[in-house]
Amino acid sequence: MTAMTKEEERELAKRLVAEIGRMAEGADHKLRFMEVCGTHTVAIFRAGLRQMLPENVELVSGPGCPVCVTPDDYMDKAIAYAKRSDTIITTFGDMLKVPGSKSSLMEAKAEGADIRIVYSPLDSIQVAKDNPEKKVIFLAVGFETTAPTAAATVLAAKQQGIGNLYMLSAQKLVPPALRALLDDPDVRVDGFILPGHVSVITGTEVFQFLTEEYHMPGVVTGFEPLQILRSLYRLMKQVTEGAARIENEYGSVVHAGGSPAAKHATDLVYEPADAAWRGIGVIPLSGLRMREAFKDNDIERLQPIDVPMGKNKPGCRCGDVLRGIVTPKECPLFGKACVPTHAIGPCMVSVEGVCAAWYKYGQGRFSYGR
């Protein structure tokens, strides 16, 4: 298929927006569609898609940023491990500024903790090889997208006989979180823009419960502005028809069954477990814990650390933002006490955080022109 020119993209975008507006005219309430993925949130803001839509069609952001939903007590544990003289922490860079109850990994690093940024969990293997006298702990935070690589790291360490590599796991699963949102009386959405990266691993079948149990439409979507607009068009069409289907706007890489190899690696190392989500609470079977066969790689089993449950920070509405109940600008701290250089809540820390996106892009840019 021949690629469209910029002018053709603009014209198609205008037609899609016009059609979305036409269908929205008959709606008896303001339609709210939630993008679940943090990368979608950033893409929507960067392209200014929110401003293109009619007034009675609203995009709200959900708990699709893994850093943002990681609770304080996990960060407190990570900081406590980091302060041990026999320990090296490896982590993705966006975890450094995430606030715990009293401090952050960046502060611990400034105080002398050995904390190293890696670009893949697999990088931790070399760190462990180079430092056999140290415990190397990778902060395994993420969704279904990153869990297979963390699992592959554990399997590779076993195969290579590396005995000093551990995981501090806080992996999360998206479908149970969507169920929790739909069971929450304070959350109101009319459809989901479903995550593209996660769906590459899981496939589309895991989202069928949305239609079967909640009569809720969903569209798996890529990250280009036109893909997102097409997904909104599909959602609007379903709402107009009174239908509820799981559709795939990212068919070039997402298939019904997902990636069998990635799911197999994850299943070998991890099993579902209850997990705490910032702003939502404990969701049954929404996380991953390491199986008994891999307990020697689970730092919490080998050397458990008790930390008090984190308390909500006064004024911070991160939890309400993550559930799509309020927008960041409705938080009294947004852009004042809470800014990227001094974040109160994690939604302002991660590059995928909705507060960070609102702060960086403001009302967004209209990339297709008017």
Side-chain angles (χ1 to χ4, degrees), residues 19 37 51 124 134 302 328:
E19 190 61 20
C37 173
Q51 293 69 250
S124 303
K134 295 289 185 83
L302 295 178

Side-chain angles (χ1 to χ4, degrees), residues 68-91:
C68 302
V69 299
T70 301
D72 282 349
D73 62 317
Y74 176 88
M75 297 309 304
D76 292 341
K77 288 178 184 177
I79 293 165
Y81 283 119
K83 289 182 176 180
R84 294 183 171 183
S85 60
D86 65 345
T87 297
I88 298 172
I89 296 291
T90 57
T91 180

Side-chain angles (χ1 to χ4, degrees), residues 9-18 52 226 229 368:
E9 288 183 356
R10 291 190 190 95
E11 289 304 312
L12 177 54
K14 290 176 181 178
R15 290 199 301 271
L16 287 168
V17 170
M52 297 171 65
L226 277 177
L229 281 176
Y368 291 110

Side-chain angles (χ1 to χ4, degrees), residues 23-307:
M23 289 188 285
E25 289 176 359
D28 59 1
H29 64 280
K30 189 171 189 176
L31 297 171
R32 305 179 87 236
F33 298 112
M34 177 179 282
E35 84 271 0
V36 180
C37 173
T39 308
H40 280 148
T41 297
V42 173
I44 287 166
F45 270 98
R46 187 180 290 132
L49 298 187
R50 291 173 186 268
Q51 293 69 250
M52 297 171 65
L53 300 175
E55 289 186 3
N56 62 337
V57 177
E58 181 183 11
L59 289 174
V60 295
S61 303
C65 161
V67 171
C68 302
V69 299
T70 301
D72 282 349
D73 62 317
Y74 176 88
M75 297 309 304
D76 292 341
K77 288 178 184 177
I79 293 165
Y81 283 119
K83 289 182 176 180
R84 294 183 171 183
S85 60
D86 65 345
T87 297
I88 298 172
I89 296 291
T90 57
T91 180
F92 297 132
D94 56 359
M95 293 295 292
L96 289 182
K97 293 182 181 180
V98 179
S101 297
K102 298 178 181 178
S103 64
S104 67
L105 287 169
M106 181 168 286
E107 292 176 63
K109 183 176 176 64
E111 293 170 359
D114 194 343
I115 301 171
R116 307 186 188 187
I117 295 174
V118 294
Y119 298 97
S120 166
L122 291 163
D123 296 339
S124 303
I125 290 179
Q126 190 60 49
V127 177
K129 286 181 178 178
D130 293 342
N131 300 273
E133 76 288 356
K134 295 289 185 83
K135 293 181 176 69
V136 178
I137 303 173
F138 175 71
L139 304 186
V141 172
F143 292 136
E144 291 94 336
T145 316
T146 57
T149 312
T153 300
V154 173
L155 294 171
K158 284 278 191 185
Q159 185 179 32
Q160 296 177 39
I162 298 170
N164 64 323
L165 179 61
Y166 308 91
M167 298 280 154
L168 181 61
S169 295
Q171 307 280 7
K172 300 286 196 296
L173 303 175
V174 170
L178 300 186
R179 185 185 297 277
L181 289 175
L182 292 173
D183 289 339
D184 186 336
D186 293 328
V187 177
R188 186 186 67 77
V189 295
D190 295 282
F192 286 106
I193 298 175
L194 295 170
H197 292 146
V198 165
S199 298
V200 170
I201 305 299
T202 65
T204 59
E205 293 172 351
V206 298
F207 299 113
Q208 288 298 329
F209 76 95
L210 294 174
T211 67
E212 295 167 0
E213 299 178 33
Y214 297 94
H215 196 71
M216 180 65 58
V219 179
V220 174
T221 310
F223 304 95
E224 295 299 322
L226 277 177
Q227 291 175 321
I228 297 171
L229 281 176
R230 280 196 288 258
S231 73
L232 284 170
Y233 169 80
R234 288 187 181 218
L235 287 170
M236 283 296 306
K237 195 167 186 295
Q238 290 193 52
V239 169
T240 302
E241 296 170 350
R245 300 182 295 272
I246 300 301
E247 298 183 354
N248 187 1
E249 182 57 45
Y250 205 23
S252 59
V253 293
V254 173
H255 308 290
S259 170
K263 290 192 288 187
H264 177 66
T266 300
D267 290 343
L268 278 176
V269 176
Y270 289 104
E271 61 185 358
D274 299 349
W277 294 58
R278 185 187 296 266
I280 301 177
V282 176
I283 303 175
L285 302 179
S286 66
L288 294 172
R289 67 183 174 199
M290 300 183 76
R291 293 184 182 275
E292 181 71 18
F294 296 94
K295 63 182 180 181
D296 291 344
N297 299 99
D298 187 345
I299 192 63
E300 286 197 272
R301 289 191 186 185
L302 295 178
Q303 294 184 350
I305 290 180
D306 290 326
V307 298

